[in-house]
């Protein structure tokens, strides 16, 4: 709520500033887009023209602010976002460079995760070192329900907008910079009977339409234990591009759950579309690596509670103990193999790491008695 209120207020302030300025700023021209979500009727458009204010997407504003921070401030922001249970940018495209991606690691090193041990005991570990199962969420086409809002409900039964979505303030404003960014958040079990999942699960949310932004999809798939694809069935009818993308996922033998929005098709049409798609994939995938959930249809709609229950059941079914989880450090190593650089690969981080290693080597070469001469004396006296 605090995040939504702040972004709404600052977005409105930026809109007023932009509208009152006569100067041209390239960054402002990218951030601010015309609000054309409501189209006037034909008769109205002949009588007058509606001058709509320009809107800046809150996600773009937060992302630009994030990029302008120095590493220490960026780490502080991520700590605050984690405390507020907000999704954190993990992989993003550099605005000034085409198809050049970067990922974050150093700001996450200060975060701790809780895990349940024997007899309900809780332990804290560094989040970057803790192996977790990873579930990745994709979207193909325009859906009648929000993928990010559904993810929020999977993470918590309470109203918690971890992932910013269309029903948040200014949620329909068009993104300009934050498309195809990958956000991350975690589900931490409490040890109670009503836990949705029995272990810590990392949720990755790939922003935007995957059909338009799929350049890093194969890289993200290499670290995923399960993929949940929200698909408009109209996209499956023109299946060329989506089949190419999904075949790369099926080739990795990664379990996939299709969440299909069939609000534009009848039951018979829906079945024909599914059969047509399955002809193009290996039938041995069905059941073992592929499940289909119909979240909406033309006549028969499911309740939100039933949809969430179906999602949880399939996630628990596919995330078996036999599957190995990956830590963030493991993910970064895989990303580097695919050409995505880490923030720790930049020159300032490398210099600081070299200086730290040099200090630690000097300390190890000095005798303990010279550094802490009184430690053994106090220990012998019981202090």
């Amino acid at each position: 709520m605090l995040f939504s209120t702040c972004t709404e207020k600052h977005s409105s302030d930026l809109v007023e500033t932009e509208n009152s300025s006569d100067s041209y700023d390239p960054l402002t021209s990218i951030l601010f887009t015309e609000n054309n979500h409501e189209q006037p009727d034909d008769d109205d458009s002949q009588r007058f023209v509606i001058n709509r204010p320009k809107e800046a997407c809150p996600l773009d504003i937060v992302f630009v602010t994030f990029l302008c921070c120095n590493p220490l401030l960026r780490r502080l922001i991520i700590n605050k976002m984690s405390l507020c249970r907000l999704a954190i940018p993990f992989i993003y495209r550099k605005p000034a460079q085409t198809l050049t991606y970067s990922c974050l690691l150093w700001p996450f090193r200060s975060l701790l995760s809780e895990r349940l041990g024997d007899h309900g005991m809780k332990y804290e570990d560094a989040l970057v070192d803790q192996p977790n199962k990873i579930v990745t969420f994709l979207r193909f086409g325009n859906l009648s329900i929000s993928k990010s809002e559904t993810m929020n409900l999977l993470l918590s039964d309470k109203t918690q907008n971890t992932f910013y979505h269309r029903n948040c303030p200014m949620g329909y404003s068009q993104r300009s910079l934050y498309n195809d960014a990958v956000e991350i958040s975690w589900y931490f079990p409490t040890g109670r009977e009503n836990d949705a999942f029995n272990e810590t699960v990392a949720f990755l949310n790939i922003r935007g339409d995957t059909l338009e932004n799929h350049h890093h999809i194969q890289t993200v798939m290499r670290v995923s234990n399960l993929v949940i694809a929200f698909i408009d069935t109209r996209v499956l009818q023109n299946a060329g591009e989506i089949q190419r993308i999904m075949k790369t996922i099926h080739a990795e033998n990664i379990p996939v759950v299709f969440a299909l929005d069939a609000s534009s098709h009848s039951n018979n049409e829906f079945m024909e579309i599914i059969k047509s798609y399955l002809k193009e994939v290996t039938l041995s995938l069905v059941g073992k690596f592929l499940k289909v959930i119909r979240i909406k249809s033309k006549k028969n709609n499911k309740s939100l509670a039933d949809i969430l229950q179906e999602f949880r059941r399939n996630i628990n079914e596919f995330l078996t103990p036999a599957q190995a989880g990956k830590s963030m450090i493991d993910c970064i190593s895989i990303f580097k193999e695919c050409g995505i650089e880490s923030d720790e690969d930049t020159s300032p981080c490398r210099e600081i790491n070299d200086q730290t290693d040099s200090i630690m080597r000097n300390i190890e070469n000095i005798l303990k008695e010279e550094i802490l001469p009184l430690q053994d004396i106090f220990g012998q006296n019981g202090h």
Side-chain angles (χ1 to χ4, degrees), residues 32-294:
F32 291 89
T33 57
E34 293 287 351
N35 179 8
N36 294 322
H37 302 301
E38 297 179 3
Q39 297 293 339
D41 295 333
D42 293 338
D43 294 339
D44 292 338
S45 61
Q46 293 176 1
R47 288 182 292 170
F48 57 87
V49 177
I50 301 177
N51 294 321
R52 304 185 184 280
K54 293 184 178 180
E55 289 184 354
C57 178
L59 284 177
D60 284 344
I61 296 173
V62 172
F63 180 56
V64 169
T65 305
F66 188 80
L67 290 179
C68 294
C69 296
N70 64 31
L72 290 176
L73 182 55
R74 191 175 296 175
R75 169 179 271 191
L76 178 61
I77 291 175
I78 283 184
N79 285 339
K80 299 297 184 183
M81 294 177 72
S82 176
L83 288 173
C84 296
R85 297 290 303 275
L86 298 176
I88 303 171
F90 187 28
I91 304 175
Y92 56 88
R93 181 169 55 186
K94 296 181 179 180
Q97 304 179 28
T98 304
L99 302 183
T100 303
Y101 293 88
S102 182
C103 58
L104 296 178
L105 179 59
W106 188 77
F108 288 97
R109 289 190 178 273
S110 60
L111 301 182
L112 299 176
S113 67
E114 285 189 349
R115 62 180 176 88
L116 295 175
D118 297 334
H119 308 293
M121 295 291 292
K122 291 186 177 181
Y123 300 91
E124 285 188 343
D125 299 303
L127 189 59
V128 295
D129 297 323
Q130 184 66 28
N132 298 312
K133 307 289 177 59
I134 299 176
V135 182
T136 300
F137 291 76
L138 313 174
R139 173 174 65 84
F140 294 91
N142 297 317
L143 306 173
S144 58
I145 68 171
S146 170
K147 170 187 57 124
S148 297
E149 187 175 16
T150 305
M151 294 178 66
N152 292 338
L153 295 172
L154 288 173
L155 284 169
S156 174
D157 291 332
K158 300 178 181 178
T159 304
Q160 171 66 36
N161 290 325
T162 299
F163 295 97
Y164 188 82
H165 56 88
R166 67 175 69 163
N167 294 320
C168 291
M170 301 182 70
Y172 275 94
S173 53
Q174 184 179 357
R175 290 189 300 268
S176 300
L177 301 175
Y178 205 60
N179 274 329
D180 76 359
V182 180
E183 298 172 324
I184 189 169
S185 187
W186 292 267
Y187 176 89
F188 296 105
T190 62
R192 300 171 184 169
E193 293 182 357
N194 60 347
D195 282 343
F197 312 110
N198 297 323
E199 57 184 333
T200 302
V201 181
F203 281 20
L204 295 184
N205 184 20
I206 301 181
R207 288 288 180 176
D209 191 340
T210 306
L211 287 175
E212 299 175 359
N213 306 288
H214 54 80
H215 307 286
H216 58 325
I217 292 298
Q218 193 167 2
T219 302
V220 178
M221 294 304 105
R222 291 186 59 185
V223 304
S224 302
N225 296 96
L226 173 64
V227 176
I228 297 181
F230 286 72
I231 304 175
D232 184 352
T233 51
R234 291 174 295 184
V235 174
L236 282 179
Q237 287 182 301
N238 304 316
E241 187 64 23
I242 188 174
Q243 283 182 0
R244 190 188 67 81
I245 296 172
M246 295 307 300
K247 280 182 179 180
T248 61
I249 299 175
H250 294 318
E252 300 288 337
N253 287 336
I254 302 172
V256 180
V257 175
F258 277 4
L260 298 180
D261 182 353
S263 55
S264 301
H265 298 96
S266 64
N267 290 337
N268 292 334
E269 292 172 337
F270 170 78
M271 294 305 299
E272 288 299 323
I273 293 173
I274 293 299
K275 289 177 181 178
S276 176
Y277 174 79
L278 292 179
K279 288 179 181 178
E280 302 296 330
V281 300
T282 305
L283 291 179
S284 60
L285 294 173
V286 181
K288 185 178 180 181
F289 292 107
L290 177 62
K291 289 291 182 68
V292 176
I293 299 175
R294 182 166 50 178

